[in-house]
Amino acid sequence: MLFCICGSGGRTSPRTGVPVHAFTARTAGVSLQSIALAHIDRSWTYPGDDDYRGLLKENDLTDEAFARTQEVKDWITQAQRVVTEAAEPAISIGAHCDRPYACAFYEYCNRDQLKPEYPIHWLPYFRSKAEELASQGVIDLRDVPDDLLNDRQQRVKEHTLANTVYFDLASATADLAGHGLPAYFLDFETVQLAVPIWKGTRPYQQHTFQFSLHTLSESGQLDHTGFLDLSGDDPAQPFAHALIAACGRKGPVYVYNAAFETTRIRELAERFPLLTDDLLAINARVVDLLPIAREHYYHPSQQGSWSIKKVLPAVVPELRYDALDGVQDGGMAMDAYLEAVHKDTSQERKTQIEHQLTAYCRLDTYAMVRLWQVFAGRNDLLLSLRDQHAETPGLS
């Protein structure tokens, strides 16, 4: 039997890859009786004690793989014909470059294409229309008909072309008016493991290993606390206990893109029934700053995105993620965590990673404090907040 192992994120479709593997093996003289595709079963739960039976789910594809032998031969013939040609195939870039996955040669093929000054892909939620317009030669915002745009897309177009900032302070302030002080500003960092290492967890499950929390008191005092577990043990339960202790019992808990944090909190509540009430009480207090930014603020530098990495330098230009040492985004935080918990990582390097992760996550929540201060119109707190966090990494 030939086994093809497939995990998430593969660049080759299993329906294409398996027939190719089968053809290659048979051509090399391997006598195949059956072929199966083994993939990671996301619903499987690790029972512990290095027992990984059931992690892989097997699907028999023998009939399909053998039936496509001639198709594979045709692919090879076509590929060999392309290789012998003196010039590259004249195929323009387009939607096919991202289907089913983003092509690694996109930048190469795009090198001679006309680069629009204002690309239409800056328009949010406009992909299908952008593809249609691109097929008609429309690639610049200036050429997009207004009647194709909703209010938000029109706002992006108008203020991008005029190089002006849109800020509806009155509406932003009104949205936040019902939430007083004390206020909490919360951010999580997580890691996903294809092969679980902690009992009771599943493949690709999001594991919370760090949080940062800034607390703004009624007097304007800003304090910071956090949690970071680099022991390599399952961080979930100590994380949950620390979160409950840090978030208090009243006051809004601000996040940026609430679906992420609230989902992680619900997952913790499901794992630890004795903590369910306290964890869900935090969820009930969550206030999302993302829709407030999306509805009431836009700067041309955002290029159609409202991610905090785009909004923060526009609203508070003195705060910069690129000024941080080592860890500057969520992907880098995940990689840093995996390096820190590896058995071969030195204590010196582990300490360095700890400082980098703490600085990165702390900037995330301080960024939310400053966004809230601007959107709530609390200019009275500006100098106080700056003074209290003069040493914050990323603050220039």
Side-chain angles (χ1 to χ4, degrees), residues 41-55 194-203 205 271:
D41 182 359
R42 288 174 174 263
S43 66
W44 178 80
T45 300
Y46 177 46
D49 298 325
D50 292 327
D51 182 2
Y52 288 97
R53 290 173 296 178
L55 172 63
V195 179
I197 60 175
W198 300 309
K199 181 178 180 179
T201 62
R202 301 184 308 279
Q205 181 177 343
R271 282 193 68 186

Side-chain angles (χ1 to χ4, degrees), residues 40-85:
I40 291 175
D41 182 359
R42 288 174 174 263
S43 66
W44 178 80
T45 300
Y46 177 46
D49 298 325
D50 292 327
D51 182 2
Y52 288 97
R53 290 173 296 178
L55 172 63
L56 296 178
K57 191 172 184 178
E58 182 182 328
N59 294 277
D60 190 287
L61 295 177
T62 305
D63 292 341
E64 179 178 346
F66 287 171
R68 300 182 69 181
T69 298
Q70 185 56 50
E71 190 175 358
V72 175
K73 290 181 179 179
D74 292 341
W75 293 339
I76 294 173
T77 299
Q78 182 182 9
Q80 290 174 336
R81 185 183 303 119
V82 170
V83 170
T84 60
E85 292 179 358

Side-chain angles (χ1 to χ4, degrees), residues 297 299 301 310-323 370-371 374 382 386 394-396:
Y297 187 89
H299 188 286
S301 65
K310 286 287 190 178
V311 174
L312 180 63
V315 179
V316 191
E318 66 265 29
L319 290 179
R320 298 169 44 223
Y321 283 91
D322 61 5
R370 293 298 304 279
L371 290 179
V374 173
L382 180 57
R386 282 178 173 173
L395 180 61
S396 60

